[in-house]
Amino acid sequence: MKIERIELQQLHMPLRFRFETSFGSTVMKDLLLVSVYGEGGVGHAECVAMPDPYYNEETTETAWHMMERFLVPKLFANPIETPEDVDRLFAPVRRNNMAKAVLEGAIWDLYSKQKGISLAKALGGEKSVIDVGISIGIEPTVGQVLDKVERHLGEGYKKIKVKIKPGFDVEVIRSIRERFGDDVPLMADANSAYTMEHLDVMKELDQYGLIMIEQPLAHDDIIDHAKLQKELRTPICLDESIHSVEDARKAIELGSCKIINIKVGRVGGLTESKRIHDFCQAHDIPVWCGGMIESGVGRAHNIAITTLPNFTIPGDTAASSRYWEEDIVEPGVELVAPGQMAVPDRHGIGFTVNPRAVGKYVIRSVNFRP
Ligand code: OSB
Ligand code: MG
């Protein structure tokens, strides 16, 4: 694969609502759009690093720096035949997974376009539709969470995830169960806001038949999660703790989780996502695709990876129009049926980047050439 040019663009996209988690809130999405040009084609991906290092250690600025200073030069200095070569090429660089993943993802898109197949097919996926859920942030009141649950259940989302934090947890879950019943596929995401001191809260949450509790304990822990899992019937799902298939192997071996959330950015790319998927499949651990408040470009990548067979739990890839007045892709990434997204069979990611919309949001751009 001959790479002729790599374009980095930083976009500021205003969200249609404030998205709050236990570590902070987002109203303006800060994203890096990467476009890799070669042999008449172009591949796109979106970096999911956030402006502040609170979800993980990366930021938009560090990702830009890592690409400019280390990763892009590596791509230009080495021949690449497949996206797997990119994964190998980046391996000596420690962590910085979101910076690696966006370049690797853009090359996956370009590669599948050059092959004349969809990204989903290039990854080995077979689904033509995927089930999706929705992630509801922390709201000023429980009543506001209930209103959002009602609206999104009405849209047919197949899984309702609510963000929790100490002091905003049991009452939220209890109220949802009281109002909408025990059949709602419900889960809670704590984004590492608890410790083993909160065992009593976890045990209370355990009464509500949640599909899972996501990342209750520290971002770098798998020991206490294993202790906690032994105390709970509800499966623990790890998000922040898993950066690689090796992390997944250790967590599964220790019994730290029964489900894994795969975010392509967090694990360093689609190649590593596939490895985690395959390892989990072989060990009867279901996976699902997490979200990072992506534009349509990131959503398209998420749809593609979700077509792999062990993505059996609906992910967080909700419709673009929930987040954006105007997305940067065409067509919009929207539901085709209640709680379902169609997997495009067009080449690559299957959505076209709209330069006019990008132009509206871009605040900085640079082109690199060999
Ligand atoms: O923990 O899954 C998370 C958003 C930003 C940072 C972390 C997380 C999230 C989400 C997904 O919950 C939200 C979405 O993309 O809809
Ligand atoms: Mg999470």
Side-chain angles (χ1 to χ4, degrees):
M1 298 176 73
K2 191 150 170 275
I3 298 175
E4 283 140 17
R5 172 161 74 96
I6 297 179
E7 183 174 36
L8 259 59
Q9 298 183 88
Q10 182 173 16
L11 274 54
H12 277 182
M13 291 176 70
L15 267 172
R16 294 185 61 197
F17 61 97
R18 168 184 295 272
F19 194 98
E20 188 173 331
T21 62
S22 60
F23 61 79
S25 67
T26 304
V27 281
M28 180 64 84
K29 174 71 181 177
D30 181 29
L31 73 88
L32 301 181
L33 176 65
V34 170
S35 306
V36 175
Y37 293 83
E39 297 165 41
V42 54
H44 303 283
E46 150 179 10
C47 182
V48 297
M50 307 202 114
D52 305 300
Y54 302 148
Y55 167 76
N56 71 346
E57 72 284 5
E58 295 183 82
T59 68
T60 332
E61 289 296 318
T62 69
W64 185 293
H65 167 74
M66 290 307 297
M67 285 193 266
E68 176 167 24
R69 173 78 176 74
F70 299 102
L71 304 175
V72 168
K74 272 186 184 293
L75 288 177
F76 286 148
N78 294 275
I80 291 151
E81 297 304 324
T82 67
E84 280 91 353
D85 293 339
V86 179
D87 179 79
R88 260 191 299 280
L89 195 59
F90 289 169
V93 175
R94 298 266 165 93
R95 300 288 280 253
N96 291 284
N97 286 348
M98 293 173 170
K100 293 173 179 171
V102 62
L103 285 165
E104 193 245 24
I107 289 171
W108 266 107
D109 180 28
L110 179 61
Y111 172 82
S112 47
K113 284 169 176 161
Q114 288 178 351
K115 293 244 159 209
I117 55 175
S118 69
L119 176 59
K121 189 145 184 244
L123 291 167
E126 278 169 7
K127 298 170 196 161
S128 57
V129 289
I130 60 163
D131 286 347
V132 293
I134 197 157
S135 171
I136 298 173
I138 289 164
E139 296 289 336
T141 65
V142 174
Q144 282 161 281
V145 176
L146 294 176
D147 291 346
K148 291 204 164 176
V149 172
E150 180 167 33
R151 165 149 39 107
H152 298 311
L153 280 174
E155 293 158 343
Y157 282 102
K158 308 273 187 195
K159 186 187 72 181
I160 300 288
K161 156 167 148 180
V162 290
K163 295 286 189 180
I164 56 168
K165 63 176 181 183
F168 194 82
D169 41 38
V170 178
E171 195 198 336
V172 179
I173 299 298
R174 184 178 13 90
S175 308
I176 295 171
R177 282 289 184 236
E178 277 171 11
R179 171 121 162 239
F180 303 102
D182 291 336
D183 294 337
V184 169
L186 182 65
M187 63 169 290
D189 184 3
N191 287 108
S192 298
Y194 296 83
T195 68
M196 286 300 268
E197 309 265 287
H198 296 100
L199 185 58
D200 52 334
V201 178
M202 292 295 135
K203 287 199 158 169
E204 272 197 76
L205 290 173
D206 204 24
Q207 324 267 326
Y208 294 98
L210 299 177
I211 317 171
M212 70 192 94
I213 300 177
E214 183 179 351
Q215 195 72 36
L217 307 178
H219 70 95
D220 54 357
D221 168 77
I222 52 172
I223 302 288
D224 284 351
H225 277 108
K227 291 183 189 157
L228 178 60
Q229 181 66 89
K230 285 193 184 68
E231 302 283 334
L232 302 178
R233 278 174 301 170
T234 308
I236 290 176
C237 168
L238 291 178
D239 172 351
E240 283 90 330
S241 293
I242 305 294
H243 310 95
S244 62
V245 68
E246 271 299 286
D247 285 351
R249 179 181 68 77
K250 290 165 189 165
I252 292 167
E253 205 170 301
L254 278 176
S256 319
C257 65
K258 294 180 180 168
I259 297 172
I260 287 180
N261 165 333
I262 295 180
K263 288 181 185 167
V264 179
R266 195 192 69 233
V267 306
L270 288 164
T271 306
E272 191 70 9
S273 298
K274 251 159 72 79
R275 287 192 196 107
I276 298 174
H277 165 274
D278 294 351
F279 184 86
C280 288
Q281 186 170 34
H283 291 80
D284 286 324
I285 300 288
V287 302
W288 55 281
C289 182
M292 291 292 286
I293 321 180
E294 291 92 342
S295 78
V297 171
R299 272 166 223 285
H301 283 261
N302 290 345
I303 291 171
I305 192 75
T306 302
T307 61
L308 298 183
N310 194 40
F311 281 84
T312 52
I313 299 172
D316 283 346
T317 311
S320 278
S321 55
R322 178 212 183 193
Y323 304 82
W324 318 113
E325 285 302 335
E326 184 181 13
D327 200 349
I328 57 171
V329 298
E330 285 168 334
V333 185
E334 299 302 325
L335 301 178
V336 281
Q340 291 194 314
M341 295 248 180
V343 179
D345 53 17
R346 296 176 292 276
H347 301 172
I349 58 174
F351 295 85
T352 310
V353 173
N354 173 353
R356 191 195 47 77
V358 172
K360 201 165 93 174
Y361 300 124
V362 69
I363 61 157
R364 173 190 185 195
S365 65
V366 68
N367 279 286
F368 301 109
R369 290 186 175 82

